[in-house]
Amino acid sequence: MFIASSRAQSPQPFIGADMIVFNAKIITGSLSQPEASALAVKRGRIYSVGTDAEILILKDNNTKLIDAGGKRLIPGINDAHTHVLNERSYNYTVRWDGVPTLKRALEMLTEQAARTPEGQWIKVIGGWSPYQFKENRFPTIEEIKKAVPNRPAIVQYAYNRAYLNDLAMKAFGIGTSRFPSVPGTELEKDKKGNYTGVIRGNTFFFVSFEVMVPQANDEEQLNSLIYAINDMNRFGVTSAVDAASMIGFPQGHSQIDILARENRLNLRFPFIDLQFGDVTSPSLIDAEINAITKKSPVSPGENLHPTMAHGHEYQGTGEVLRLELHDHENFDRPAIIIDKDTMRYYIEKDITKLVQRRIPFRMHISYNENITPFLDALENINKKTPLDGLRWSIEHAETITPENIARVKKLGGGISLDTKMALHGEGFIKTYGLEKALYTPRLRELVNSGIPLTMSTDAFRASTYNPWVGISWMITGKSVSGTEILAKDNRLTREEALKLFTYGPTWFEQTENEMGKIVPGNLADFVLLNKDYFTIPEDEIKTISSTLTVVDGRVVFGTGNYSNLAPKLPAILPAWSPLKYFGGY
C-alpha cells in the first residue's frame, strides 16, 4: 500500500528522506548487513538501510512512504549485454516471448494481419524458442502462410532461421539480384526447385533484413523505445548495457538523448559503440576511434545524461571488432572456427590501437577454439603495450575451457555470459550432444574461479529480455521446455544466480561502489517482486516479475497498489501496433 506522505512533524525545513520503503524483505547483497526491512532514499541514492523503526524516524513532511506489504525487495537487475537501440521498431513486432503454445502464436499472427494496414508487414523477430511451446516444435512454412495470407510476413528465430510467406519473398526479391547474397545462407527449395520461404543463415544476413522492411517514423521510434524500456522495467531491469546498435553514436542515440534531456529515460543506459557502414575508415576500430575523437568526441566513462549518474554513458567499443572474426552464435549449426592466424593478426593490429587510447573493448566469441588465438594475441599485445588495468571482456564464451578462464583472469579481463541456452539448449544438444550441453557454459567453474563475471540476456533477437527465464535455468538446470540441460554440479544457488544479474555487472561498468547492492551511498535502484524469489518453489522462478521498480530514486514501473505511482505512458504508436493488443512478454 502507498501512503502519499507522512504527517508534518514540525515547520522545520525539509531534512528527511525523499522516499522510504518499509515492511519489506530486503536482500541487500552486503555481507555486513545481509537483510533489512526498510530503506531510505535521498537525492537518488540510498542513505540508510535497517529496520522499520530505524528508517521511519527519517521521514519528514515531504517523504514519500511506500509500504512493501511484506514483499521481497532486491537490488535492480542490471542487464550487462542487450540491444535496446535495435528496437526502434519494437511496436511493429509481434512478440512470441513467453507464448505457451504454437497454436496461440499462429493465432496471434492471423489476428494481427486483420488489423495491419496495407503496406505494412507482420513481423516476429526473435526472443522466442520452439522449445517453449507445448507442441515443442517450430512452425511450418505452410502454417505461417495460412496464418498470414494477405500481408508480407517474416517469422525470425534468433539469428538462425526465418520463415517468409509468398508476399514477403516477392518483396525481398528472393531469386533475384535484389536479395542479399551472404556466405553461409541457405534458401530451402521444394522437390520442384521452388523456394519454400525457409531461410537458414547467420547474424549479418538477418541484420540485412532490417533495412528491407517498412521502418517506423521518428515519433514511432521514440514510442517504441519507451515501451521496450517499460517492458524491461516490468521484470525489474533498472540498468542495461546496450551492446552496440546497428546505427552508431550519435545518430543511433537520438531518441535516448531526447528521453535523457526530458528526464524520461527510465533505466541507466551505459553503451558500447560500433560504427557500421563507415566506408572512409579501413576497419571498424579505425571508424570508432575517428567517430569518438573527431566527429562526435566522447571519452570512455563520460556520462551524457544531464541528471542521472551513469544514465547515458560511453563504455568503449565492441562487441564486433572486425567482421572477419565474428563466430556468430548459431547452435543449430556446427561452430564457425576462425583461422587462427587471421584472428591473431587482426586482434594485435586493432586492439593495440584501443589499448594505446585506453578505450575499453568487448569481443563476441562463442567458441573456445576462437578464444584461444584471441588470447594469444592479447598476451602478445600485453607484452608490448600493457593492458595496465584497462577493462575488457569476452562476450558469450559458451564453450570456454578452464585453461582459458585462467588466461582471461591473468590478463585482467572479464567474461560476460548470457542466458541463450535456456531457450536454445535443445538445439545445442542436437548439434553437439547432451554431454557437452551439461557443461555449457561452465557456470560452476566460472563462479568458483573468482574471475569478473556477469550474466546477461543478449535480447531482443537472440534471446528474450526477461532475465528470470535465464535465472531459472541457472538454478534448476532446465530449459524453457522443462528439459534438464545443465548438470547438477554445474548449477548455481539462488544467491549466486541473482548476483550475476545485480552486482556482477558492476565490474564491467566500473560501478562496483555505486550499484548492485542495497547499501548506504549506492544508487537507488531496486525492485519489489511479485513473488519471494528465495522461498518459492524452483519451478516458479521463471514467473517472477516486478510490482514496483525504482531507478535513481524514481518509481518507473508499478502494478496493483503501486500502479498510481508509475509514470503515465504515452498512447502506443501506431494505433495498429501488436504491442497494443498482445503486450510484450
Side-chain angles (χ1 to χ4, degrees), residues 25 56 136 145 162 182 186 193 243 272 300 306 335 364 390 427 440 465 489 493 498 523 533 541 557:
K25 296 177 183 176
L56 285 170
N136 199 29
K145 289 178 179 180
V182 179
E186 301 172 6
I272 58 177
H364 171 129
L390 181 69
T440 300
Y465 57 84
D489 62 354
T493 66
L498 184 63
L523 296 167
Y533 169 68
I541 290 172
F557 178 87

Side-chain angles (χ1 to χ4, degrees), residues 190-203:
D190 62 21
K191 293 178 180 179
K192 296 180 180 180
N194 299 316
Y195 294 111
T196 66
V198 179
I199 302 174
R200 294 173 177 83
N202 289 314
T203 315

Side-chain angles (χ1 to χ4, degrees), residues 396-454:
H396 312 310
E398 276 90 358
T399 64
I400 191 169
T401 60
E403 294 76 17
N404 278 338
I405 294 170
R407 294 174 75 192
V408 172
K409 185 177 181 180
K410 186 176 181 180
L411 283 166
I415 294 176
S416 176
L417 303 172
D418 65 69
T419 59
K420 284 196 291 290
M421 284 290 284
L423 274 79
H424 312 309
E426 282 87 348
F428 188 96
I429 290 169
K430 290 174 184 176
T431 305
Y432 301 101
L434 176 60
E435 186 176 349
K436 188 166 186 176
L438 292 172
Y439 294 92
T440 300
R442 297 173 180 270
L443 289 178
R444 174 49 55 200
E445 288 185 68
L446 282 159
V447 168
N448 290 351
S449 74
I451 195 171
L453 183 68
T454 187

Side-chain angles (χ1 to χ4, degrees), residues 232-251:
M232 296 169 74
N233 293 154
R234 172 188 167 193
F235 291 109
V237 178
T238 58
S239 184
V241 176
D242 193 87
S245 165
M246 287 182 282
I247 304 175
F249 175 80
Q251 293 86 352

